[in-house]
Amino acid sequence: MSGRAVEARKAFGARLKELRLDAGLTGRALAQASGIHNTTISRIEQGRLSPSEDNIRAWAIACGSARLIPELVAVRREVEQMWVEHRRELKAGLKRVQAEGDLYERTALLRVYESNRVPGILQAPGYVAAAMRAVSAFHGSPGDDDDVAQATSARLARQRLLTEGTGLNRYSFVIEAGALDLTMGVAMDEQFDFLLSVIGLPHVAFGVIPPGRSREIWAGEGFYLFDDTLVRTEMWTGEYRTNRPEEIADYARIFDSLRRSAVYGDAARAQVEIARQRVSTQTL
């Protein structure tokens, strides 16, 4: 589980513990009053176990705080939403994980930062397929050739919003120059050509942070910021999401800091061509 998700669960457990203490109940007394096992109460309060919504209702009623049930349930759902395990999601196949077209269509401004790979929506077909196969192999999902092909098609279908320019969607990308070096085992000319075709589109801002560039903030994990409503950041074992306004504001500030360190236009094209030469030299 991601660090933020772990801390959020611990904070929620601490809040439930305070509710119990304010009611003057021991863990054993709460167990008797709520029907929740004493061990379960302890694990919830330590942040080691997520309470069910039934747990929360019984807990609040036993503590004489039934009025807080809607708020506590909402917080619990937010905490659970913060972390989606890839392994569980991938059991249904890669295509299902890629089925987020509606989210992209209704997003007026998509801001994306990546530090170690080309952003998914900017990946050329060969790169997408290689990435899907790698994800499938790592997580042991049912990623046969047909599943990989369908997932690749789903991601590329989303790309039309970027390439066709509907007039309703705008995009702002910032990537570290080193992200252009990840080849995923495929010939990269197709990928570099696609990036060059995107630079200069009227609804797209494409920035690259060159090596050694003076900057306000260090490189970090990549993230997608959908308008001011949702942040999504993906790691090896899972995905962190949040729609908390304070978190979204932090990511917006981070993106602005990164954007100010990036180069655009002809300077960004030059960085892509430098990466092309660098990758070509490394694969000789």
Side-chain angles (χ1 to χ4, degrees):
M1 181 176 279
S2 72
R4 293 188 184 213
V6 169
E7 291 306 313
R9 180 174 286 182
K10 287 181 178 179
F12 188 46
R15 182 176 183 186
L16 292 176
K17 181 178 180 179
E18 289 178 2
L19 205 64
R20 171 178 65 78
L21 294 175
D22 288 345
L25 297 175
T26 64
R28 191 172 298 278
L30 176 59
Q32 292 174 346
S34 66
I36 305 171
H37 195 279
N38 190 41
T39 302
T40 300
I41 290 172
S42 176
R43 294 180 67 196
I44 289 173
E45 291 184 347
Q46 294 172 29
R48 295 167 53 203
L49 178 69
S50 177
S52 68
E53 293 185 12
D54 285 343
N55 289 157
I56 290 172
R57 294 185 182 94
W59 193 302
I61 291 170
C63 293
S65 300
R67 69 188 185 283
L68 297 178
I69 291 175
E71 177 187 347
L72 293 171
V73 168
V75 172
R76 185 262 181 193
R77 290 176 180 175
E78 170 67 17
V79 171
E80 290 306 299
Q81 179 180 293
M82 282 185 175
W83 188 254
V84 179
E85 290 186 30
H86 279 321
R87 198 169 283 110
R88 185 184 70 237
E89 293 293 319
L90 287 169
K91 286 180 180 178
L94 291 164
K95 183 182 178 182
R96 179 179 174 182
V97 178
Q98 293 301 312
E100 290 188 307
D102 290 347
L103 174 60
Y104 284 80
E105 288 184 11
R106 66 175 180 264
T107 298
L109 174 61
L110 177 62
R111 286 165 283 183
V112 181
Y113 166 72
E114 283 289 2
S115 59
N116 55 21
R117 58 182 167 176
V118 174
I121 197 170
L122 289 178
Q123 293 173 5
Y127 196 106
V128 174
M132 293 299 172
R133 285 192 293 269
V135 170
S136 175
F138 179 79
H139 291 285
S141 68
D144 56 23
D145 290 343
D146 184 60
D147 189 32
V148 168
Q150 290 185 55
T152 299
S153 295
R155 176 171 287 185
L156 293 175
R158 179 189 309 158
Q159 204 174 78
R160 68 175 175 76
L161 297 170
L162 173 72
T163 56
E164 295 178 6
T166 64
L168 302 175
N169 312 97
R170 294 181 296 121
Y171 302 87
S172 183
F173 300 98
V174 175
I175 67 173
E176 303 286 345
L180 297 170
D181 291 352
L182 181 64
T183 67
M184 294 304 301
V186 299
M188 288 291 286
D189 279 337
E190 176 190 43
Q191 181 61 67
F192 291 134
D193 289 344
F194 180 76
L195 293 178
L196 292 174
S197 73
V198 167
I199 299 174
L201 289 176
H203 55 288
V204 177
F206 181 86
V208 180
I209 302 179
R213 183 80 167 177
S214 176
R215 55 198 302 158
E216 302 170 14
I217 194 168
W218 55 90
E221 73 274 9
F223 61 88
Y224 279 52
L225 178 52
F226 298 86
D227 289 325
D228 292 320
T229 60
L230 175 68
V231 171
R232 189 187 72 193
T233 180
E234 190 174 304
M235 293 152 242
W236 278 321
T237 58
E239 184 177 278
Y240 167 79
R241 294 179 178 225
T242 183
N243 55 16
R244 290 189 176 187
E246 62 273 21
E247 291 271 329
I248 291 172
D250 284 343
Y251 274 97
R253 288 174 51 234
I254 291 168
F255 187 84
D256 285 342
S257 295
L258 293 163
R259 182 175 53 81
R260 286 191 288 268
S261 297
V263 297
Y264 293 82
D266 288 342
R269 291 187 182 91
Q271 288 297 317
V272 173
E273 292 295 357
I274 290 170
R276 191 198 299 266
Q277 292 300 316
R278 190 166 57 236
V279 169
S280 175
T281 301
Q282 291 170 353
T283 55
L284 289 178

